[in-house]
Amino acid sequence: MEVRSCPGCGKLFNYLGPTTPACPACMAAREEKFQVCKEYIRQNPGANISKVAEDTEVSVKLIKQWVREERLTFAEGSSVGIECERCGANILTGRFCNACKGNMTQSLNNAANSLKPTPEPVKADPRENAKMRFLGDK
Ligand SMILES: [Zn+2]
Ligand SMILES: [Zn+2]
């Protein structure tokens, strides 16, 4: 068990992991805000992130975090201000755009395929080992 001070109110609390970064009271308040945001976006599908932040009194940072976590999804055409972490394209939710997600799934599949056991067992080359030791001794 790890005791941390709450980033919201400064009180000490038992830190349970990255999904609960604040004390129970602040987490409950945050969850309440999340519901308000979610409802607001549902009723105002064209609203952009700063408008949502303004009208719900939730910080843009927190809304962006929820968008990254894919808890909030903005409507097509609204300027969320969230960029794909890979190519920088404007996206509506999550961390990557659809094109990058597609590419990544493909390269993951390729990686999985190349990991399939090769019929030839790889033998350790004693000369390679000697070289490694030599480099390590430097
Ligand atoms: Zn707190
Ligand atoms: Zn992308």
Side-chain angles (χ1 to χ4, degrees):
M1 198 78 86
E2 188 185 340
V3 176
R4 288 193 182 189
S5 73
C6 172
C9 64
K11 269 192 242 164
L12 293 177
F13 72 106
N14 290 321
Y15 180 72
L16 301 173
T19 49
T20 46
C23 77
C26 288
M27 283 308 289
R30 191 182 281 205
E31 192 56 32
E32 219 165 278
K33 282 183 180 176
F34 169 72
Q35 293 303 335
V36 171
C37 270
K38 198 176 153 186
E39 186 59 22
Y40 181 89
I41 291 167
R42 201 176 65 81
Q43 288 178 5
N44 305 274
N48 65 29
I49 206 162
S50 49
K51 176 84 177 131
V52 177
E54 198 186 303
D55 286 357
T56 59
E57 293 179 347
V58 176
S59 70
V60 169
K61 192 170 159 249
L62 199 50
I63 296 175
K64 282 189 176 176
Q65 188 190 317
W66 289 328
V67 174
R68 286 285 189 214
E69 289 168 359
E70 296 192 28
R71 295 185 75 192
L72 288 180
T73 304
F74 280 78
E76 200 73 47
S78 47
S79 64
V80 189
I82 293 279
E83 285 166 0
C84 170
E85 288 181 6
R86 202 156 171 265
C87 72
N90 201 57
I91 54 172
L92 300 171
T93 192
R95 298 173 56 197
F96 305 104
C97 70
N98 286 335
C100 285
K101 269 189 198 166
N103 281 340
M104 281 158 64
T105 318
Q106 218 169 355
S107 51
L108 272 183
N109 285 344
N110 288 345
N113 283 340
S114 64
L115 279 178
K116 274 182 187 154
T118 42
E120 203 92 19
V122 183
K123 273 189 222 143
D125 187 338
R127 280 170 307 171
E128 266 318 294
N129 282 342
K131 202 157 53 173
M132 291 293 285
R133 254 201 306 279
F134 178 70
L135 285 173
D137 286 341
K138 254 208 287 195

